[in-house]
Amino acid sequence: MNNLSLIKCKSCGTFNRNLDHCSNCGELINPTLIRKLSIEKRKKKIKDQLKEEQVTTENSFLYKLQNHRFWLVRVFAAVLHSVWVIIMAIGSFLAWLAAMISA
Ligand SMILES: [Zn+2]
């Protein structure tokens, strides 16, 4: 009887023997299953997030400009994009500088 494990239910405190679900409230108590479930949940969350970002990118003004049929608009988008990157770089540098000064 080495495989017998007593698991306490986190939600109601009932002790269960070799059960995946609590005999009292039905809560999942198998640690392996709980871990598996939470990993799958996290994976799904990340996947959803990536999908959402993809949609946001494709719907963005800049993305549309960069894939425009006129080359002039695409050049304009490229310039706009580099300016935006530079502004972000300066902005983050200033934020870092402010943090360094105040520290
Ligand atoms: Zn329970």
Side-chain angles (χ1 to χ4, degrees), residues 9 11-12 14 22 24-25 27:
C9 172
S11 93
C12 71
T14 310
C22 174
N24 186 43
C25 68
E27 182 85 9

Side-chain angles (χ1 to χ4, degrees), residues 9-47:
C9 172
K10 272 179 195 155
S11 93
C12 71
T14 310
F15 283 97
N16 297 274
R17 256 178 223 280
N18 278 352
L19 289 169
D20 287 343
H21 297 270
C22 174
S23 58
N24 186 43
C25 68
E27 182 85 9
L28 190 67
I29 51 167
N30 186 323
T32 319
L33 282 179
I34 289 172
R35 207 175 307 138
K36 221 167 143 187
L37 212 72
S38 80
I39 287 169
E40 263 162 33
K41 227 187 223 170
R42 215 178 303 149
K43 267 188 196 163
K44 195 176 176 291
K45 205 176 160 192
I46 290 167
K47 223 173 160 183

Side-chain angles (χ1 to χ4, degrees), residues 50-61:
L50 280 177
K51 215 195 251 168
E52 210 169 276
E53 270 170 28
Q54 180 87 27
V55 170
T56 315
T57 311
E58 279 173 12
N59 284 333
S60 78
F61 175 65

Side-chain angles (χ1 to χ4, degrees), residues 65-79:
L65 281 186
Q66 278 172 332
N67 292 280
H68 204 274
R69 54 203 159 96
F70 292 123
W71 66 270
L72 200 67
V73 177
R74 287 200 298 270
V75 168
F76 173 70
V79 171

